[in-house]
Amino acid sequence: MEKIKQRYSYSVMNYITVSLASIFGIGLLSIFISYWVTDMSDKDAQAINMSGSMRMQTYHIGLALQRGEKQEAIEAIDRLDETWNHALFIKQRSLNSSDPLNGYFYRAYNHWQQELKPLLVSEANSVSLPALPIKMIDKQVHLTDELVDQFQKEAEGRIRNLRLFQVFVLFITVSVGSVIFYLLKNRIEKPLLQLTQAAHRIGKGDFGHQVEVDGRDELALLGAVINQMSTSISHMYDELDDRVKQRTQELRRNNINLEFLLNTARRILDSHNKPLDFQQLLDDLSGAMHGNTTLELCLFTAQGDKPYLQLAPHQTPTTDCTLRSCEGCQGQAPFTPIDSISLNEKFPIVRDDMHYGVINVRSPVMTPLPEWQEQLLRSAADQFALALSLSAQKDQEHRLAMLNERTVIARELHDSLAQALSYLQIQVTRLQKSHDKQKYDLQQPIIDELREGLSSAYRQLRELLTTFRLKIDTGGLQGALENTVKQLRERTDMHVNLHYQLSNLPLNPTEEIHLLQIIREASQNAINHSKGEHLSISLKQLADKSIELLIDDDGIGIPDTPEKLNHYGLAIMNERSRHLNGKVEIFPREEGGTRVVCRFQPGFIEQQVTSTA
């Protein structure tokens, strides 16, 4: 603070204060001196008037004496003497002053007091006719005239001095005003204009603008502060601009990385029907790296020691694995560099402790990879691991599905065709025994049972083939049921109606397959055995959120032991209902015909109950 005070000791306020004080002082001095001069000249007119009246009074005394009016002459002498002794002339009655006016007054006054006045008084008091002292009166008049002239000169001299003083004051005022104007112009107005222009330019974004303000006052300090502020703002703006450019580059790079990861995730999700193109993914990853690095993708089996797939981006030759140890790629040993100047880094493709492969990175520059490239490579490795894990899981699910399907086929063959064939084998054995015993009368019933069994076995074989060929396309269960109803209408004269009310309920594929098979089996039984005219199929959800299947016909009804009518069909429906955690019931309708009812709890309801619990 002391240094600032020393450096900027010439304050603008000092300029303004001194200027105002100078103008105020000159004004006061001018007013005071003018007042003093005019005050001194205030009695000049009275003095001239009284001195002129003394001349007239002298003539008046002479005339009064000449006419013999002594009393009037004495009164005139007294009045003239009072005038000469007036308080206005006290100063002039002394010769101590060097003022010429006092000399003139003293000579005229002494001539009056010592010479003319005694003579006139004696003449006025004499009894004889007075003799007029003409020469002495003329001399007194002459002295009085000189006194009047001197009073006039004194008055004119004061007026002249006042004019000279006013001219001097005018010169001083103009000079001081010029100096003040110069100081205000160069020390205040010009620096303020420069500071204002600098503020406008800085406000418009010219942060590097510098203002030149000379001097050692507040404006110079303000100019220095503005320059320092402008320099700081310019530096900060440049830094901010660099940071914005850097962040923009990072955002652009992150956008490219996110776009690559998004496209990779999309390809992974779309790869359920076709194999994943790792070559395209590696090319996209190399493009996202946009550097001088070289990538290599090696995929290993769980037991293999050499990659079954070794890829490099297009236009980049793949290095033969024989040139290095693959144990480093599998995480079992460090890398074996191809040359001494290559930077080798590996990013394992691992998921759930399963090593699928590695992404090898090489760079001719011996500097670590930037953090964003490492993050991108890690994310890409995780995406590749996810894709390979999903592919392995899909293959495993496919294997399980094949095994499950074969188990279902075996169970269906065992529950239907195998039992039918066993039954036929028993009948053939009976036929052989009757033939051996020559009981020909027992053969015809056996032959009839064989014929009926063969027909039943053939029908069951066709139903099994239909079941094994069954598929549900993108139309879902409703589309498959509509297609089934269409096929049933083509095979029979019955009026088949479908009432599907599960459009807003999700069913898993297993539930859809079992429902479709139960409906096909029950509908086929109604068409083959009911001899009715109408068949109604209804699917809806009940109040307790369970699903109810109703299959009604208006036929002849069912016997007391319906299982003997179609043992295998009922067994199939019961088996499938158990897979749905439900139960199939068959009973006659009051209005005639047969009703098949199947109720079960859908899987999504059970999942909700389990998650809530």
Side-chain angles (χ1 to χ4, degrees):
M1 184 61 68
E2 293 295 333
K3 292 182 178 180
I4 293 178
K5 289 183 178 179
Q6 292 176 2
R7 182 178 177 183
Y8 301 101
S9 56
Y10 297 95
S11 174
V12 174
M13 292 305 301
N14 291 340
Y15 295 150
I16 297 175
T17 302
V18 171
S19 300
L20 292 177
S22 300
I23 295 174
F24 186 69
I26 292 173
L28 287 179
L29 181 63
S30 174
I31 292 173
F32 175 75
I33 295 178
S34 298
Y35 177 79
W36 177 66
V37 172
T38 53
D39 183 69
M40 291 179 61
S41 302
D42 187 42
K43 303 296 182 179
D44 289 346
Q46 184 181 2
I48 294 173
N49 185 31
M50 292 182 66
S51 61
S53 68
M54 287 188 298
R55 182 176 51 191
M56 293 302 298
Q57 290 177 9
T58 304
Y59 283 123
H60 185 69
I61 293 172
L63 292 175
L65 291 175
Q66 187 178 6
R67 288 194 300 265
E69 297 176 355
K70 294 181 179 181
Q71 184 62 35
E72 184 177 354
I74 292 172
E75 294 177 356
I77 291 172
D78 294 336
R79 286 197 299 273
L80 180 58
D81 187 62
E82 290 178 359
T83 302
W84 279 105
N85 291 300
H86 194 273
L88 182 64
F89 303 128
I90 293 177
K91 180 180 178 181
Q92 282 74 22
R93 288 198 295 270
S94 174
L95 284 177
N96 296 328
S97 175
S98 61
D99 190 358
L101 179 61
N102 292 348
Y104 285 103
F105 185 84
Y106 181 75
R107 286 192 296 273
Y109 179 75
N110 285 341
H111 184 268
W112 164 256
Q113 291 290 341
Q114 297 176 7
E115 297 181 11
L116 182 57
K117 176 182 175 182
L119 182 59
L120 292 176
V121 171
S122 63
E123 289 295 331
N125 292 328
S126 65
V127 294
S128 61
L129 183 65
L132 293 175
I134 300 300
K135 291 182 178 180
M136 293 185 67
I137 291 175
D138 291 337
K139 185 179 179 180
Q140 183 68 40
V141 171
H142 177 70
L143 292 173
T144 303
D145 289 336
E146 290 180 349
L147 178 60
V148 171
D149 291 338
Q150 192 62 34
F151 271 119
Q152 182 178 355
K153 290 179 181 179
E154 287 288 335
E156 291 176 353
R158 290 190 181 94
I159 298 298
R160 187 167 50 253
N161 291 334
L162 180 60
R163 291 195 188 100
L164 291 175
F165 174 74
Q166 289 177 343
V167 172
F168 175 75
V169 170
L170 177 62
F171 174 75
I172 294 298
T173 303
V174 172
S175 299
V176 173
S178 300
V179 173
I180 293 174
F181 179 77
Y182 173 79
L183 292 176
L184 294 177
K185 185 74 174 177
N186 291 275
R187 293 298 181 186
I188 298 179
E189 182 183 0
K190 184 178 178 181
L192 281 177
L193 180 60
Q194 293 177 347
L195 294 175
T196 303
Q197 292 176 351
H200 280 295
R201 295 187 63 174
I202 293 174
K204 291 181 179 179
D206 187 7
F207 300 117
H209 179 71
Q210 297 289 308
V211 60
E212 297 181 1
V213 179
D214 299 329
R216 294 189 295 173
D217 52 18
E218 291 90 341
L219 296 179
L221 173 62
L222 182 60
V225 172
I226 288 179
N227 289 337
Q228 183 179 3
M229 179 188 69
S230 176
T231 303
S232 300
I233 293 177
S234 178
H235 182 66
M236 292 174 61
Y237 182 81
D238 292 339
E239 288 186 351
L240 182 61
D241 186 58
D242 293 339
R243 292 176 63 184
V244 168
K245 291 180 180 178
Q246 182 180 1
R247 292 296 178 84
T248 302
Q249 184 178 3
E250 291 178 359
L251 289 175
R252 187 180 297 111
R253 185 168 57 238
N254 292 336
N255 185 38
I256 294 174
N257 297 342
L258 290 175
E259 184 177 0
F260 163 74
L261 296 176
L262 178 62
N263 292 333
T264 302
R266 185 181 293 114
R267 289 193 181 101
I268 292 173
L269 294 177
D270 294 341
S271 63
H272 60 280
N273 292 327
K274 58 182 179 180
L276 189 62
D277 188 359
F278 284 98
Q279 181 65 59
Q280 182 64 39
L281 294 178
L282 192 62
D283 293 340
D284 294 343
L285 178 59
S286 178
M289 295 284 289
H290 54 79
N292 55 353
T293 57
T294 301
L295 302 181
E296 180 188 45
L297 176 63
C298 295
L299 300 182
F300 296 86
T301 61
Q303 297 80 20
D305 57 356
K306 293 292 182 181
Y308 67 86
L309 181 63
Q310 184 184 13
L311 298 175
H314 287 303
Q315 301 179 354
T316 301
T318 303
T319 305
D320 190 2
C321 287
T322 59
L323 298 179
R324 66 181 188 277
S325 172
C326 289
E327 294 179 353
C329 293
Q330 294 175 295
Q332 300 172 359
F335 266 142
T336 301
I338 298 176
D339 52 64
S340 59
I341 63 172
S342 296
L343 173 64
N344 293 274
E345 292 191 25
K346 61 179 180 179
F347 294 87
I349 303 174
V350 180
R351 184 175 178 83
D352 296 333
D353 298 330
M354 179 64 69
H355 290 261
Y356 296 99
V358 69
I359 299 176
N360 294 326
V361 183
R362 296 180 180 84
S363 175
V365 182
M366 296 298 294
T367 56
L369 292 175
E371 183 179 359
W372 69 270
Q373 288 187 350
E374 291 187 0
Q375 293 179 354
L376 177 60
L377 289 169
R378 292 193 192 96
S379 300
D382 292 339
Q383 294 275 28
F384 291 173
L386 176 62
L388 293 169
S389 175
L390 291 177
S391 178
Q393 183 179 358
K394 181 177 67 176
D395 293 340
Q396 183 66 20
E397 290 178 354
H398 182 65
R399 295 189 190 98
L400 294 177
M402 290 178 61
L403 292 176
N404 187 35
E405 184 66 21
R406 290 182 179 182
T407 301
V408 171
I409 292 174
R411 184 178 65 248
E412 296 289 348
L413 289 174
H414 177 270
D415 292 343
S416 58
L417 191 58
Q419 294 184 10
L421 292 177
S422 299
Y423 175 76
L424 292 176
Q425 187 177 8
I426 293 173
Q427 298 302 324
V428 170
T429 301
R430 289 178 57 196
L431 182 62
Q432 181 65 40
K433 289 182 178 181
S434 64
H435 177 73
D436 293 340
K437 294 180 180 181
Q438 296 182 358
K439 295 181 179 180
Y440 301 108
D441 56 336
L442 298 177
Q443 291 182 354
Q444 188 59 42
I446 296 175
I447 292 173
D448 293 339
E449 290 184 5
L450 284 172
R451 184 182 298 109
E452 184 180 354
L454 286 173
S455 298
S456 177
Y458 180 73
R459 183 178 62 81
Q460 293 179 23
L461 177 61
R462 293 190 61 182
E463 291 178 356
L464 288 175
L465 292 176
T466 303
T467 301
F468 297 152
R469 294 172 182 172
L470 178 66
K471 66 175 181 178
I472 297 179
D473 54 13
T474 56
L477 178 61
Q478 184 176 3
L481 288 176
E482 290 176 352
N483 188 31
T484 298
V485 170
K486 180 179 179 182
Q487 293 176 1
L488 293 175
R489 288 172 180 170
E490 293 175 354
R491 298 175 186 175
T492 181
D493 295 334
M494 295 181 68
H495 299 283
V496 183
N497 297 318
L498 174 64
H499 302 282
Y500 187 85
Q501 302 178 16
L502 300 181
S503 300
N504 298 321
L505 295 178
L507 297 177
N508 59 50
T510 302
E511 293 172 344
E512 291 179 348
I513 290 292
H514 289 312
L515 270 178
L516 181 59
Q517 290 292 2
I518 292 174
I519 292 173
R520 291 174 65 91
E521 186 66 33
S523 300
Q524 192 66 41
N525 287 338
I527 291 174
N528 293 334
H529 305 291
S530 68
K531 299 180 182 180
E533 296 181 357
H534 296 86
L535 176 64
S536 175
I537 303 172
S538 175
L539 265 176
K540 62 182 179 179
Q541 186 178 21
L542 302 179
D544 59 354
K545 296 185 179 180
S546 62
I547 294 178
E548 181 183 62
L549 168 64
L550 297 178
I551 302 176
D552 295 338
D553 65 74
D554 57 354
I556 59 176
I558 59 173
D560 296 335
T561 56
E563 62 277 1
K564 294 182 179 180
L565 181 65
N566 187 3
H567 169 73
Y568 302 109
L570 293 178
I572 292 174
M573 287 193 292
N574 288 324
E575 178 68 19
R576 294 191 180 278
S577 66
R578 284 194 296 270
H579 286 290
L580 294 174
N581 295 325
K583 182 179 180 182
V584 173
E585 297 179 356
I586 304 175
F587 50 86
R589 300 169 62 202
E590 295 181 358
E591 59 271 22
T594 306
R595 168 167 291 182
V596 179
V597 180
C598 178
R599 295 186 182 90
F600 69 95
Q601 197 81 6
F604 76 93
I605 297 296
E606 295 181 355
Q607 291 178 359
Q608 290 181 355
V609 173
T610 304
S611 61
T612 303

